[in-house]
Amino acid sequence: MYGETGRTGKILCKEHKEALFDIRKQSNLREHCEEYHGGEMVQFGYEVKKTFPGNALSRQLKEALLIDDHVGPRMNDKREWVRPASVRLRAERA
């Protein structure tokens, strides 16, 4: 999963884990277990790929590229997130 937030990774992981086991809450992790693992709960891992202190645009570009390049099932679905378009940057002299 990729995401942009001001909350720490530790807080986000805790929220995802709580939602996974609380059937009253929507959980992409639980939906993944149901769709790909026959409903069996599996261990999930989390990893912070990079931090961008004070640079929101760089963080957003990196997230878009990671999501676009990802192979395999996506944990974020269209109901929650809109998949970003591929990003191309071009520099021109004024």
Side-chain angles (χ1 to χ4, degrees):
M1 283 187 289
Y2 302 102
E4 174 192 342
T5 182
R7 297 187 319 271
T8 67
K10 183 176 181 178
I11 291 170
L12 289 173
C13 292
K14 181 181 177 203
E15 290 172 357
H16 283 293
K17 186 174 182 180
E18 288 172 357
L20 174 64
F21 296 105
D22 186 346
I23 60 172
R24 297 171 296 176
K25 296 181 180 178
Q26 190 275 333
S27 170
N28 291 339
L29 299 179
R30 189 171 51 255
E31 289 176 12
H32 174 84
C33 289
E34 291 166 0
E35 185 174 342
Y36 293 96
H37 303 285
E40 180 181 337
M41 292 295 151
V42 296
Q43 284 282 40
F44 289 96
Y46 305 90
E47 177 182 5
V48 175
K49 295 284 192 178
K50 187 170 181 166
T51 60
F52 299 88
N55 194 337
L57 180 58
S58 292
R59 183 179 66 235
Q60 291 167 347
L61 290 171
K62 181 65 174 178
E63 177 188 1
L65 293 171
L66 285 169
I67 291 171
D68 196 48
D69 291 343
H70 180 75
V71 176
R74 297 185 193 280
M75 298 302 282
N76 294 339
D77 60 25
K78 291 180 182 178
R79 291 175 295 173
E80 185 175 1
W81 306 102
V82 175
R83 183 173 171 221
S86 294
V87 177
R88 287 200 176 98
L89 296 177
R90 182 175 75 194
E92 295 182 5
R93 291 185 184 240

